[in-house]
């Protein structure tokens, strides 16, 4: 089973603060990476993708990928209470087959 | 555009009972996935289809779980004799020919 490790397991940040979520993977053939967000009682929803090494910014969210280091991260700037959710890192080798998910990071943003 | 639809949303069973979950993927998506998500964990693949063909069911407990997608559209996941360890949310997801997966809201199963 391919490994996707996420850290930390849980994270509490104040409103307006920066949240940083980390993900490491074991398979150097991994090509496609996604961050998903899941609010309580809902299915996971795609937040953003990153397929190339470097940074990708979408609004308050910045993803970073380093395939050589087998590492991807997500940074949430100016965190809002509505960002409180479970965040999953997911990866796929070909993009057209199974996506492997980490166990998730539970983010709580305190007003 | 309608999303992935799953039913029922909730199910409560006694051990040994059977249950079926139904999934209607996004129209035009040829790939359909069933994931199991235990409480406070990430989704874990059970089985996935491309059209009506099973591509990978290696993680499906074959003695009690079965899944079909006979016409390459809707799909049913069945648990023949539920165990307490099956308590989890069962997520259906679909994907077009692109690296993105769209999830339904899931069926929360409790086996007592």
């Amino acid at each position: 089973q391919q490994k996707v490790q996420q850290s930390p397991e849980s994270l509490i940040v104040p409103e307006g603060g920066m949240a940083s979520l980390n993900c490491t993977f074991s398979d150097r053939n991994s090509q496609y990476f996604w961050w998903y967000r899941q609010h309580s009682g809902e299915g996971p929803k795609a937040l953003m993708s990153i397929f190339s090494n470097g940074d990708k910014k979408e609004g308050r969210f910045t993803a970073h990928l380093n395939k050589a280091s087998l590492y991807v991260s997500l940074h949430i700037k100016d965190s809002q209470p509505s960002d409180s959710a479970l965040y999953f890192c997911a990866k796929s080798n070909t993009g057209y087959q199974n996506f492997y998910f980490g166990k998730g990071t539970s983010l709580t943003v305190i007003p | 555009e309608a999303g992935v639809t799953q039913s029922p949303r909730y199910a409560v069973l006694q051990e040994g009972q059977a249950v079926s979950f139904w999934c209607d993927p996004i129209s035009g998506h040829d790939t359909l996935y069933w994931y199991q998500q235990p409480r406070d964990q990430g989704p874990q693949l059970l089985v996935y289809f491309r059209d009506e063909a099973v591509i990978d069911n290696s993680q499906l407990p074959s003695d009690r779980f079965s899944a079909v997608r006979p016409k390459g559209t809707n799909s049913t996941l069945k648990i023949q004799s539920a165990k307490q360890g099956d308590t989890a949310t069962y997520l259906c997801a679909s994907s077009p020919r692109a690296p993105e997966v769209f999830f339904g809201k899931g069926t929360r199963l409790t086996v007592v």
Side-chain angles (χ1 to χ4, degrees), chain B residues 3 10 14 28 38 44 58 76-77 81 87 99-101 103 106 111:
Chain B
Y10 304 93
Q14 292 189 334
Q44 300 161 15
S58 59
T76 302
L77 175 70
S81 178
T87 293
E100 184 173 358
V101 178
F103 284 89
V111 183

Side-chain angles (χ1 to χ4, degrees), chain B residues 37-99:
Chain B
Q37 185 179 20
R39 186 175 176 81
D40 296 330
Q41 292 193 35
Q44 300 161 15
L45 181 75
L46 291 172
V47 57
Y48 79 101
F49 299 84
R50 189 149 303 130
D51 298 318
E52 68 277 4
V54 174
I55 303 301
D56 184 355
N57 63 358
S58 59
Q59 304 302 313
L60 194 67
S62 58
D63 58 333
R64 297 184 300 109
F65 286 62
S66 62
V68 294
R69 193 186 185 198
K71 297 183 179 179
T73 51
N74 301 338
S75 177
T76 302
L77 175 70
K78 184 174 183 178
I79 305 176
Q80 196 68 26
S81 178
K83 298 182 178 181
Q84 287 190 0
D86 299 331
T87 293
T89 296
Y90 291 82
L91 294 163
C92 179
S94 68
S95 177
R97 287 186 178 257

Side-chain angles (χ1 to χ4, degrees), chain A residues 32 34 90-92 95 97-101, chain B residues 33 35 99-101:
Chain A
Y32 300 94
W34 282 90
K91 70 97 177 177
S92 174
Q97 61 177 59
N98 181 28
F99 280 74
Y100 294 91
F101 287 78
Chain B
Y33 306 83
Y35 285 87
E100 184 173 358
V101 178

Side-chain angles (χ1 to χ4, degrees), chain A residues 3 15-16 24 33-34 45 62 75 87 93-94 96 100 109:
Chain A
K3 299 288 187 186
E15 184 174 357
T24 59
F33 301 86
W34 282 90
K45 289 184 180 174
T62 299
H75 303 276
Y87 288 77
N93 287 5
T94 68
Y96 192 47
Y100 294 91
V109 181

Side-chain angles (χ1 to χ4, degrees), chain A residues 19-83:
Chain A
S20 295
L21 290 67
N22 306 298
C23 178
T24 59
F25 46 96
S26 59
D27 181 4
R28 291 192 178 277
N29 293 318
S30 302
Q31 295 292 327
Y32 300 94
F33 301 86
W34 282 90
W35 285 96
Y36 279 78
R37 181 164 73 178
Q38 185 178 30
H39 287 104
S40 181
E42 300 287 323
K45 289 184 180 174
L47 193 58
M48 65 186 298
S49 64
I50 185 164
F51 303 157
S52 302
N53 284 329
D55 293 336
K56 180 180 180 182
K57 184 178 179 184
E58 292 184 358
R60 297 185 293 111
F61 300 87
T62 299
H64 171 80
L65 173 61
N66 184 326
K67 292 183 184 180
S69 298
L70 305 175
Y71 173 77
V72 62
S73 63
L74 178 70
H75 303 276
I76 307 173
K77 178 183 170 184
D78 187 24
S79 297
Q80 302 297 309
S82 58
D83 294 328

